[in-house]
Amino acid sequence: MTDELDSSVRDLADIPAVEVISRAAVMLMSSAAEKLGLADADPDSSPHRDLDEARRVITALAGLVTASVEYLGPHAGPIREGLQSLQRAFREASAHPDEPGKGPGEKYTGPVH
């Protein structure tokens, strides 16, 4: 077990920071999409839809993107666009949408319309 852990740590040490951040962002984006039900043909009836959980994941993604945007280089644009798409999808999925600037992650990104 210790050898596996040491190997994992060494492997992470060899990965550039931008790739670690990008992978984390993609994982958060995928999780948010699942929790919004976007992986199902009909998101409104998705058994995976959980807007409370989606809000948390989108907010975490927004914090990560905002804090690391200067390091993302050419990855920044697509990751920001993905975040904004998830924020808009959340607003559309909400029975009572948040006011602009109050939605998930918008305290970090600013209002998303």
Side-chain angles (χ1 to χ4, degrees):
M1 173 95 169
T2 303
D3 290 339
E4 286 181 29
L5 183 58
D6 289 343
S7 176
S8 295
V9 171
R10 271 194 306 275
D11 292 344
L12 282 175
D14 295 334
I15 301 172
V18 67
E19 190 170 333
V20 173
I21 295 166
S22 296
R23 286 183 187 184
V26 168
M27 181 179 286
L28 290 167
M29 292 168 90
S30 296
S31 176
E34 287 286 341
K35 293 178 185 316
L36 288 169
L38 299 177
D40 292 327
D42 182 13
D44 292 331
S45 64
S46 171
H48 303 290
R49 180 175 264 187
D50 185 334
L51 296 183
D52 186 49
E53 287 285 307
R55 177 184 294 279
R56 294 172 188 188
V57 176
I58 293 169
T59 299
L61 174 61
L64 175 65
V65 171
T66 300
S68 59
V69 71
E70 67 183 285
Y71 308 115
L72 293 173
H75 302 281
I79 291 173
R80 276 183 158 168
E81 289 171 14
L83 169 58
Q84 289 174 352
S85 293
L86 290 166
Q87 289 172 311
R88 282 192 291 275
F90 183 91
R91 184 176 306 283
E92 290 173 12
S94 298
H96 303 286
D98 298 312
E99 295 177 30
K102 302 287 185 184
E106 290 183 6
K107 70 180 177 181
Y108 301 114
T109 64
V112 176
H113 303 282

